[in-house]
Amino acid sequence: MKRKVQCMLLALLAAVAATVATAGVLPAESAVPPDARRGAEQTLLTFPEWYLVHSPAEYARIVQAQPSHVFPFLQQIGQLWSSYATVSREQIREHYPLNPGYHVMIWVIASSTTVEYALRSAYENSIGRASWLLGGRKLTDEDRYAARAAQEYVDFIRQQPWYLFDFTSRLRHLWTDVPLSGPCLLRKWERRYVLTTEYAVKAVYAKLIEKATRAAYTPALMTTDVVVDHLPENWKAPPEVTLIQRLSNGRALLALPRYYDFRIAATALARQDIRLEDIAGNASTILVSVWVRGTGPEPPGNWRLLFEQPLTMPAQTRRLALLVPVRQLSKFLVDAPAKGMTVEHVYDY
């Protein structure tokens, strides 16, 4: 871990030099309004941020039917930091702007997640595992409540910042809605203790992060402006997609929803043969993650594999992070299922 950190620091210093060297290069003209453009480097830097959605989602899938200690906390820490190192190197290779503020944000959330996962790994693989064995290896009402809360958390953070999630409400309902007695009493009360601690700590920490974030950053745009190659008169606008302006040569400027729903909207447009040419001012490449089964080589196509990560759930499945040309993204989204790929996310900044 120490060596990885040193390598990333050296990479960031190199990025400063690269940024200075290319500071005089102007970006290509874009029909996206200047205030709606975002740096192309963010398609890379948003992966570590979104990993902190993917990881809880994997946790939620696992704990629906298995105890918490099955989740590979330490492996997830490694994947988080190694993916950050890889996207940082790619940022340097492409001579993208450094964007130090975004790196600081990633370091804050990645470091706090590292501490959390390390503590939870130590606890779940000692006391948590012991309560599971002594409690008859059966899920309790508290386990099932925690699994529901974990999925609710994932559903929430796919569109909203994690610190706005209502941990206080989950803590209150743990003590008012979940029976205090029942089978596997030892496991029940151990789970009640650890969930109470988790929800209480996160409720306080979330408030602190919310205040710090509001003081340091402007509110994020909730839409992404894109340029499409054409827009038929009889097109059907997907949910939350709006026409901003018709452009020359039949092209059009649209506003798509941001974050999780961007992939859904872009795919719906692609199925109408409406192709994206420019995303928030970026017409070069965009990062897409997909799931593939098995251990063979990735399917061939017009993209470049940046890295891959094994998943615990679904079993025998890998996440591939692919760099796709923006003008090929629409076709990619339509063709992916036939190539054995499940599109997980489009990193739309």
Side-chain angles (χ1 to χ4, degrees), residues 168-199:
T168 302
S169 174
R170 275 37 180 208
L171 176 58
R172 182 173 65 253
H173 286 294
L174 171 65
W175 285 94
T176 59
D177 297 353
V178 181
L180 296 173
S181 60
C184 310
L185 198 58
L186 176 65
R187 173 72 176 179
K188 280 180 64 68
W189 280 92
E190 182 274 326
R191 287 293 92 186
R192 191 170 288 265
Y193 159 75
V194 73
L195 291 174
T196 297
T197 303
E198 177 185 349
Y199 296 156

Side-chain angles (χ1 to χ4, degrees), residues 104-331:
V104 170
M105 183 271 292
I106 292 172
W107 272 83
V108 170
I109 60 177
S111 297
S112 63
T113 299
T114 298
V115 172
E116 177 193 348
Y117 276 16
L119 292 174
R120 291 178 67 184
S121 177
Y123 181 90
E124 292 293 355
N125 285 285
S126 55
I127 298 174
R129 187 183 292 268
S131 77
W132 171 255
L133 296 174
L134 295 173
R137 303 187 182 192
K138 295 181 180 179
L139 296 175
T140 64
D141 292 330
E142 286 76 8
D143 285 299
R144 286 184 281 271
Y145 177 83
R148 290 194 301 272
Q151 187 58 57
E152 290 167 355
Y153 175 73
V154 171
D155 295 339
F156 181 87
I157 62 175
R158 281 175 171 155
Q159 285 297 136
Q160 298 290 335
W162 76 271
Y163 51 76
L164 297 181
F165 186 72
D166 192 355
F167 293 103
T168 302
S169 174
R170 275 37 180 208
L171 176 58
R172 182 173 65 253
H173 286 294
L174 171 65
W175 285 94
T176 59
D177 297 353
V178 181
L180 296 173
S181 60
C184 310
L185 198 58
L186 176 65
R187 173 72 176 179
K188 280 180 64 68
W189 280 92
E190 182 274 326
R191 287 293 92 186
R192 191 170 288 265
Y193 159 75
V194 73
L195 291 174
T196 297
T197 303
E198 177 185 349
Y199 296 156
V201 170
K202 286 184 175 179
V204 174
Y205 185 57
K207 291 298 182 184
L208 295 175
I209 292 296
E210 180 182 3
K211 290 181 180 180
T213 300
R214 294 189 188 281
Y217 298 96
T218 56
L221 293 174
M222 296 306 292
T223 58
T224 297
D225 288 2
V226 305
V227 176
V228 296
D229 63 343
H230 75 290
L231 196 65
E233 292 294 336
N234 61 346
W235 76 294
K236 296 181 180 179
E240 300 183 67
V241 174
T242 58
L243 170 62
I244 299 175
Q245 181 184 1
R246 288 189 179 271
L247 306 170
S248 61
N249 300 324
R251 300 180 304 152
L253 180 65
L254 305 179
L256 271 60
R258 200 174 174 188
Y259 303 128
Y260 184 78
D261 290 339
F262 179 89
R263 170 185 58 83
I264 298 171
T267 303
L269 290 172
R271 287 174 179 156
Q272 297 181 59
D273 199 32
I274 300 170
R275 309 294 172 131
L276 275 59
E277 292 188 341
D278 180 323
I279 302 173
N282 175 26
S284 55
T285 58
I286 192 162
L287 186 65
V288 183
S289 62
V290 300
W291 291 359
V292 295
R293 297 276 294 175
T295 58
E298 72 273 10
N302 188 19
W303 56 76
R304 178 162 62 89
L305 176 65
L306 190 59
F307 61 87
E308 65 178 70
Q309 298 173 331
L311 300 178
T312 302
M313 180 72 70
Q316 299 181 335
T317 301
R318 295 173 292 152
R319 171 184 295 115
L320 305 182
L322 307 174
L323 288 170
V324 179
V326 167
R327 292 173 184 267
Q328 294 295 320
L329 176 63
S330 299
K331 185 176 187 304

Side-chain angles (χ1 to χ4, degrees), residues 8-24:
M8 282 187 285
L9 288 173
L10 290 173
L12 291 177
L13 289 173
V16 174
T19 302
V20 172
T22 59

Side-chain angles (χ1 to χ4, degrees), residues 42 45-46 49 99-107 217 349:
Q42 288 193 32
L45 297 181
T46 50
E49 186 179 6
N99 200 337
Y102 218 94
H103 280 280
V104 170
M105 183 271 292
I106 292 172
W107 272 83
Y217 298 96
Y349 314 66

